[in-house]
Amino acid sequence: MNANVNAVWYGESYHPIQAGSIDGTDVLPHDNAVYRALICSSAGLYDPFGDPKLIGDPYCTLFVARLSHHTHETALTQAMSKYGRVKNIRLVRDIVTGASRGYAFVEFESERQMRRAYEDAHHSIIDGSEVIVDYNRQQLMPGWIPRRLGGGLGGKKESGQLRFGGRERPFKAPLRPIPYDELKRLGIPPPPEGRYMSRFQVPSPPRRRKNTGDSPPRHRSSDREDTHSRHTSNNREEQDSRSRHRFQDRKDSHSRSMHEDSGHYQQNSMTRHSSKDRKEKGSRSRHRSRDSENVKSMHGDESKDRADYEENLELRDGSKERERRSHKKHRSPAEGSEKNRHEHYKHHRGHLYDRERSHDHINRSKSQDSGY
């Protein structure tokens, strides 16, 4: 215990008798204010969450005390904006006169900004007055009793109502043997063992917990362990999320490749169908060209036959005309007239026969064309 003579410790929960003791070992109230606070605590007359003026997140709210009575909300907002974005300010005023009571509650947008102001704004100067800064103990410290009911922390020496365990005036190391039995009977938490700090160290405000509502403030060593565990858990969560993202990316790439393969298959099938259609079109065009060539050849043969036939008719007509002229020179008039009639009739019969033969040939060629 001698090694911890100059060490201090901070209260994790509030008890009026312990708050009135310099080393946290008292078992009796030493003034009337402590006795009044003990009655309120044991009877449950004070509700820390019953104030309707309490708004905002307590883990992002800072308590600023020892303000000048001339400080207004604008100056306080400007002074606290150096540490983060101020979301809300409640300057406590007298209910009758409206004058400032010298303390306020400042809510920041995040818990990180509140912690920065908690470390840097303590003992800063605002409007010529040195202020003290603490976390919102009313909502975050179990068993809290305010100053107006005999509780609170700190206080002035001339009033005689000194309170210990806070940031400004922490508990000293026990100066006498600790009465564990008496403290246990009265429900007073005993002084800690092995968790003493230097007065120059900054106590850590309570951190937000997911499962529990109110949590006591913890010291820097435990904060380091919590930060390490939190970092490791965050790393594990990041690794899990990365693995999930990789699996999802592989799944998406596989589905995209499947879609692309199906698209290639459809494209190949379309190209195959288009090539098949082109082949069918080519075969049809070849058939049409072949049919046209056959028709042309048939018409050419028909025209050739008709030309040969006409040429034969002309030759035969010429030979007949020459024979007629030669007979006309050697016949007698009577014989000539008779022969002329006979020849004329025969000539007309030949023309009719030739015409019929030509018509039959043409009709036969047309029937063959339609039959093909």
Side-chain angles (χ1 to χ4, degrees):
M1 192 64 66
N2 294 330
N4 296 326
V5 171
N6 295 323
V8 297
W9 58 282
Y10 300 90
E12 296 180 353
S13 62
Y14 192 85
H15 196 277
I17 297 179
Q18 188 182 39
S21 174
I22 192 172
D23 57 355
T25 58
D26 289 3
V27 293
L28 293 173
H30 66 276
D31 57 25
N32 292 331
V34 174
Y35 184 73
R36 189 170 70 250
L38 182 61
I39 293 174
C40 291
S41 177
S42 58
L45 300 178
Y46 175 71
D47 182 14
F49 301 97
D51 189 357
K53 296 181 181 179
L54 293 175
I55 57 173
D57 188 1
Y59 289 94
C60 299
T61 303
L62 208 63
F63 172 74
V64 184
R66 296 182 185 175
L67 288 169
S68 172
H69 292 280
H70 302 287
T71 302
H72 295 278
E73 286 84 355
T74 307
L76 183 59
T77 304
Q78 186 177 2
M80 302 307 291
S81 297
K82 297 186 293 184
Y83 312 104
R85 307 185 80 177
V86 177
K87 188 176 181 181
N88 182 33
I89 279 186
R90 184 169 72 94
L91 182 63
V92 180
R93 296 180 178 273
D94 190 89
I95 194 172
V96 178
T97 62
S100 173
R101 298 287 300 272
Y103 63 96
F105 296 92
V106 182
E107 182 185 3
F108 291 88
E109 288 191 352
S110 66
E111 188 176 353
R112 183 178 180 182
Q113 296 172 359
M114 187 277 289
R115 289 180 178 275
R116 181 185 174 189
Y118 175 79
E119 293 179 0
D120 298 340
H122 192 51
H123 291 296
S124 62
I125 305 298
I126 300 176
D127 287 343
S129 178
E130 185 179 1
V131 300
I132 61 172
V133 171
D134 205 347
Y135 67 89
N136 190 4
R137 293 181 181 268
Q138 178 178 352
Q139 293 178 283
L140 299 181
M141 191 172 191
W144 172 259
I145 299 295
R147 169 63 76 178
R148 69 177 183 271
L149 297 177
L153 296 172
K156 296 181 180 180
K157 292 182 181 181
E158 56 267 21
S159 67
Q161 297 182 2
L162 298 179
R163 300 293 179 264
F164 299 90
R167 185 177 183 182
E168 186 65 15
R169 189 176 284 113
F171 292 112
K172 291 182 180 294
L175 303 177
R176 63 184 183 90
I178 302 172
Y180 287 103
D181 296 335
E182 291 290 331
L183 296 176
K184 185 177 180 182
R185 184 178 60 83
L186 295 174
I188 302 174
E193 294 180 2
R195 281 193 295 161
Y196 297 99
M197 301 171 59
S198 168
R199 186 178 290 272
F200 303 101
Q201 289 178 309
V202 180
S204 178
R207 295 182 181 273
R208 190 192 305 271
R209 290 183 180 179
K210 294 182 180 179
N211 298 328
T212 59
D214 296 334
S215 60
R218 289 169 293 183
H219 297 286
R220 198 155 293 232
S221 59
S222 61
D223 289 339
R224 289 197 205 99
E225 294 174 359
D226 293 339
T227 357
H228 180 67
S229 63
R230 204 165 43 251
H231 282 306
T232 53
S233 63
N234 290 336
N235 291 332
R236 290 196 198 97
E237 290 177 359
E238 289 178 359
Q239 289 176 0
D240 294 337
S241 63
R242 286 172 186 170
S243 62
R244 284 196 298 270
H245 283 304
R246 289 195 199 98
F247 177 73
Q248 188 67 28
D249 293 338
R250 286 198 295 270
K251 191 174 179 181
D252 294 340
S253 62
H254 181 66
S255 61
R256 281 198 299 271
S257 63
M258 291 292 290
H259 283 300
E260 290 175 358
D261 294 339
S262 62
H264 286 306
Y265 178 75
Q266 291 177 359
Q267 188 175 3
N268 293 331
S269 62
M270 290 173 66
T271 52
R272 285 198 297 271
H273 284 300
S274 60
S275 61
K276 189 175 180 181
D277 294 337
R278 284 198 295 272
K279 286 180 182 178
E280 290 180 356
K281 288 180 182 178
S283 62
R284 287 174 189 169
S285 61
R286 284 197 297 274
H287 282 299
R288 288 197 195 97
S289 62
R290 193 180 299 166
D291 294 339
S292 61
E293 288 176 0
N294 292 331
V295 172
K296 286 180 182 178
S297 63
M298 287 176 60
H299 285 295
D301 295 338
E302 181 183 354
S303 60
K304 187 177 181 181
D305 293 339
R306 188 173 296 173
D308 293 339
Y309 178 70
E310 290 177 355
E311 187 177 357
N312 291 331
L313 285 178
E314 289 178 359
L315 290 174
R316 192 169 57 189
D317 291 338
S319 61
K320 286 182 180 180
E321 184 67 25
R322 283 194 299 272
E323 289 177 1
R324 187 175 63 77
R325 286 177 183 175
S326 64
H327 283 297
K328 191 174 182 181
K329 289 179 182 179
H330 299 290
R331 69 174 178 263
S332 60
E335 190 177 295
S337 62
E338 218 176 284
K339 284 183 179 180
N340 286 334
R341 283 197 301 274
H342 182 69
E343 289 293 336
H344 181 71
Y345 177 73
K346 191 175 179 181
H347 176 70
H348 279 289
R349 287 291 300 272
H351 276 290
L352 290 172
Y353 179 73
D354 295 335
R355 192 178 300 168
E356 289 175 0
R357 282 189 64 188
S358 65
H359 281 297
D360 292 339
H361 184 72
I362 291 169
N363 291 330
R364 191 165 52 252
S365 63
K366 286 182 178 179
S367 64
Q368 288 178 0
D369 294 338
S370 61
Y372 183 78

